Amino acid sequence: MWGYGRARESDRDRADGVVLFDGFGDTGCQTSLMEVGPLLETFLFYRCRFVVVGSAARLLLGETVTPADLDIVVATGPDDRRNLVAALRYLHALVFDRHGLRHFGGAMSLPWEWGWSVVTALGDVDLIVRFIDDTTIAEHDADATDVTLASGAIVRCHATRWAA
Amino acid sequence: MSAATGLGLVEVSILDACDRNGAHPRAPHQRTARILNSLDEATGIGPRVAYQVLCDMARPDISHLALIDFNGNYGSSDYGAASARYTEARLTPLGAAALAAERDQLGALPIGLINGNTHVDGPRPPLDPHRLLAAVRAAAIGSNDDMLAELVGLPVFPTGCAVAGDQLAFASGAVTELELAARISPGERGRLVISNLPPDVGSSVVLESIMRFDAFDDRSPRSSRPSRNRRMSMITEVDDESSPAMGTRIVVTLRADADEGEAISDLAAAWGVCRTMSVCLGRPVGRLLRDWIAVQGRTDLEARLALIDAAIADQAGRR
């Protein structure tokens, strides 16, 4: 079902066994609005801890839906934050703030209490820290199911009906 | 602006929409999108505008008196709120009282006088709720203008920033320029903690401002800004440790040989750490309060002010 484009040879050394995809190749991705697979591969490559929720999770679990964005619940320990920031920098993510879209990086304060949205070339990503029912990655991970991507990598998915 | 509460039309309409949708103080929160849709249908006020106002009515860094009890991410000075589909809201007890006042079921409440409207670029600043209530009580028993001006004092912003300005000019109702400054205090192990930022200033702005300052140090051969930037280069690290529990907390780590006093004075000049704001009450304080009492009447005045007292205590408890 999923095709993830071409792995770059230069990335294989850096990837420590995990192949990083460039995301711009012949993906064959089934979603018309965004490239879920390459985004997930990038987060995995940077060792981010996350659970996919919302419509992207339902898609990965086999439902026929077209996600408009990728919703992931993220862990926020010190290492997790560093890894997530590195992944977003690699993706050249733009962050929505009060002043509009800003390049990710430099002097930036991130709202780690609730989460935030970014725009990438592969699609929009909602990074969620906490839901309004006070659930975090711990609760969603407990209810999540493993989904194996075409590359063999495993992502945790929890098919919530609505996210954020 | 409503005479009964001092609230704007959109604010009153939002309270009304909450009430129509059963978002009462003791009822469960209602999905914000539902409230906004109902508001749109009833009044034509679109969700984009109304949502921002609704969030502001709940944010403790914007309003001394919260009229909306919000569940979810209502945003900050840096970031917007989460989508209205994913947040919930209901009236606070004071919000319900304000709505009752608007419907003439209750006497007037001085909410607008306390909350001000500078967060929407208005000239009327927020006032210290305790002092304002004391001034209203004093005005009711006929205290003179000087005493009322002394009781009201200078504006007090919910962020807790330091405020300096000409108190006499402010009390006379003239346009007054206030200097607003964050608080900078020494932390542990050669660190400085910046907290209580001025209103409408986010942590990102301050971080960027400090980093930009630091970039122009003497390592740059073209630097033409020697003294201040040489001192700013004494900073080794800037961290944002802000959280809802701790409030705004930007931690600046200094080099071991840094002079703390010099660093504090340089940081105090960074954009965002200090700013100015022009405010205006429109009328002398004494006249403003006496007019308010004359128009709104003295009937049940103490009971109405007690409602505000309870709301202040409730909000302090939430913080």
Side-chain angles (χ1 to χ4, degrees), chain A residues 54-114:
Chain A
S55 54
R58 303 212 310 269
L59 179 72
L60 288 166
L61 289 166
E63 287 186 38
T64 308
V65 289
T66 306
D69 59 7
L70 172 65
D71 295 316
I72 58 174
V73 190
V74 295
T76 56
D79 286 343
D80 299 311
R81 291 185 185 203
R82 227 181 342 264
N83 294 343
L84 198 56
V85 167
L88 293 172
R89 283 208 169 120
Y90 174 78
L91 288 165
H92 294 284
L94 299 169
V95 185
F96 275 119
D97 70 7
R98 291 266 182 206
H99 312 289
L101 283 171
R102 296 178 67 193
H103 277 289
F104 198 89
M108 180 174 276
S109 171
L110 292 167
W112 290 104
E113 170 67 8
W114 289 101

Side-chain angles (χ1 to χ4, degrees), chain B residues 51-190:
Chain B
Y51 190 38
Q52 181 64 57
V53 178
L54 186 146
C55 291
D56 287 352
M57 290 164 78
R59 280 175 58 184
D61 59 327
I62 290 219
S63 307
H64 282 303
L65 303 173
L67 304 179
I68 298 287
D69 179 9
F70 201 87
N71 186 23
N73 177 10
Y74 49 50
S76 65
S77 298
D78 287 321
Y79 292 92
S83 165
R85 287 174 295 155
Y86 308 135
T87 60
E88 297 172 334
R90 67 180 175 190
L91 295 171
T92 60
L94 184 63
L99 191 59
E102 289 294 335
R103 291 171 175 170
D104 291 334
Q105 297 161 352
L106 185 73
L109 299 166
I111 297 170
L113 282 177
I114 293 173
N115 279 348
N117 62 7
T118 44
H119 64 287
V120 288
D121 288 337
R124 201 159 32 81
L127 301 172
D128 183 303
H130 295 290
R131 297 180 71 149
L132 192 274
L133 292 186
V136 171
R137 286 177 173 121
I141 57 168
S143 298
N144 64 30
D145 283 7
D146 290 345
M147 179 175 277
L148 295 179
E150 190 61 37
L151 277 172
V152 169
L154 280 172
V156 170
F157 290 84
T159 61
C161 64
V163 180
D166 184 343
Q167 188 175 333
L168 283 178
F170 177 69
S172 73
V175 175
T176 310
E177 182 153 280
L178 301 177
E179 286 179 21
L180 312 176
R183 299 181 193 277
I184 306 174
S185 50
E188 32 184 54
R189 288 173 305 188

Side-chain angles (χ1 to χ4, degrees), chain A residues 4-91:
Chain A
Y4 294 123
R6 296 178 294 273
R8 292 180 294 203
E9 284 303 315
S10 59
D11 289 327
R12 288 183 187 275
D13 297 335
R14 288 170 40 207
D16 192 24
V18 179
V19 176
L20 177 69
F21 294 91
D22 62 14
F24 295 99
D26 177 18
T27 65
C29 185
Q30 296 299 300
T31 59
S32 56
L33 297 178
M34 63 179 307
E35 308 277 6
V36 174
L39 279 170
L40 294 176
E41 293 284 356
T42 304
F43 289 124
L44 288 172
F45 172 75
Y46 281 96
R47 295 185 175 82
C48 302
R49 287 198 300 132
F50 63 93
V51 174
V52 185
V53 293
S55 54
R58 303 212 310 269
L59 179 72
L60 288 166
L61 289 166
E63 287 186 38
T64 308
V65 289
T66 306
D69 59 7
L70 172 65
D71 295 316
I72 58 174
V73 190
V74 295
T76 56
D79 286 343
D80 299 311
R81 291 185 185 203
R82 227 181 342 264
N83 294 343
L84 198 56
V85 167
L88 293 172
R89 283 208 169 120
Y90 174 78
L91 288 165

